[in-house]
Amino acid sequence: MSTEGRPRLGALAKMRGGCPQLNLWTILIPALAFKACVTCGCLVLLFRQSCKEHKTLPQNSAQWHCVLGTPESKERVWRCCPMGWKLFHTSCYYLFSDSRYWDESEKSCMQMGSHLVVINMEAKQDFLLSWLEGTVTAGEGKKSHCLGLYYWAGEGQWHWVDQTPYNQSATFWIPREPNFLPWEKCAVLQVGRRTASSGKRTWNNIRCHKYCHGICETAAVNI
């Protein structure tokens, strides 16, 4: 049958005052793809903005890991740490595998936008003990980990590196420590071969030029 004289599809649509019927999937697929791109773009922008607001975290981290806030918390947010850091509550922690002088450990933490760990509550002490004891191998003996705590002789007082007030009632010194020897002005947390009598009391004061494994702490990013 000859098709001469038949109006073309576009012309027919104009004549009927409407659009030609299209396959539903030809509309849905591009729409869904566009929505996915917009959603991903918004998440990336939100994450970047959140990172800008938390300058304390290492900015050269290529990867991050995030955990959703605990169910009992009022704000359901994702808390993120750089890969290689461990999350506890609202902070991220990094453990050096090698040992260094106390001041060298603090300097290394500062270079990563953090500081040596500050312990001002029992829950954090318990977390650190559980984590660090898992790093001690059988027969290795006792290991010392640098705390962000030092003695300022000028004031006769212990100080935390982040200016957290020193609270004697929230400390975990080994019995009869600190011994106040004038040359032992830096604090460490010791794990391995702990006796039942010491319990959670694992802090000791040492010379600042003795080797210890640094533990860095910084605020986690919330998104």
Side-chain angles (χ1 to χ4, degrees):
M1 181 182 298
S2 174
T3 59
E4 293 183 5
R6 289 188 179 182
R8 294 182 180 272
L9 184 59
L12 183 61
K14 291 181 180 179
M15 291 170 59
R16 293 181 178 179
C19 298
Q21 186 176 4
L22 299 178
N23 189 306
L24 180 62
W25 289 109
T26 62
I27 299 175
L28 285 179
I29 292 177
L32 291 174
F34 177 76
K35 182 178 181 180
C37 291
V38 170
T39 302
C40 292
C42 290
L43 289 175
V44 170
L45 289 175
L46 178 62
F47 185 77
R48 287 180 177 176
Q49 179 64 30
S50 182
C51 289
K52 289 179 181 179
E53 294 174 356
H54 294 77
K55 297 296 185 180
T56 56
L57 279 168
Q59 298 300 307
N60 59 351
S61 299
Q63 293 181 312
W64 300 71
H65 66 94
C66 302
V67 176
L68 187 62
T70 55
E72 61 270 17
S73 63
K74 295 181 180 180
E75 296 182 359
R76 300 284 285 171
V77 298
W78 288 91
R79 293 190 176 128
C80 303
C81 292
M83 294 299 293
W85 291 65
K86 195 173 185 69
L87 175 69
F88 178 70
H89 284 187
T90 59
S91 296
C92 304
Y93 301 87
Y94 182 85
L95 175 62
F96 289 110
S97 58
D98 60 337
S99 57
R100 316 174 186 195
Y101 292 153
W102 186 94
D103 57 344
E104 291 179 345
S105 294
E106 170 64 3
K107 182 178 179 180
S108 297
C109 288
M110 292 177 65
Q111 290 174 344
M112 294 193 294
S114 60
H115 54 75
L116 283 174
V117 65
V118 172
I119 304 176
N120 55 358
M121 65 180 70
E122 186 174 1
K124 186 183 287 190
Q125 172 77 355
D126 291 341
F127 156 72
L128 290 171
L129 286 179
S130 176
W131 178 28
L132 298 175
E133 286 179 341
T135 67
V136 179
T137 59
E140 187 175 7
K142 188 178 294 184
K143 293 176 68 174
S144 294
H145 301 272
C146 308
L147 297 177
L149 184 62
Y150 65 96
Y151 185 76
W152 188 357
E155 293 186 358
Q157 178 69 41
W158 288 92
H159 288 267
W160 290 108
V161 293
D162 71 340
Q163 306 304 314
T164 294
Y166 178 77
N167 181 3
Q168 180 63 38
S169 64
T171 61
F172 302 91
W173 293 104
I174 293 172
R176 295 181 296 279
E177 298 291 348
N179 53 28
F180 295 108
L181 292 175
W183 51 84
E184 295 188 344
K185 298 180 180 180
C186 290
V188 295
L189 183 155
Q190 296 180 326
V191 297
R193 295 191 306 175
R194 288 198 299 124
T195 63
S197 60
S198 65
K200 299 178 183 180
R201 300 173 66 181
T202 58
W203 298 5
N204 190 19
N205 60 315
I206 63 169
R207 295 173 183 264
C208 295
H209 280 78
K210 286 190 69 173
Y211 286 103
C212 53
H213 296 269
I215 309 171
C216 301
E217 177 182 4
T218 191
V221 165
N222 293 339
I223 61 172

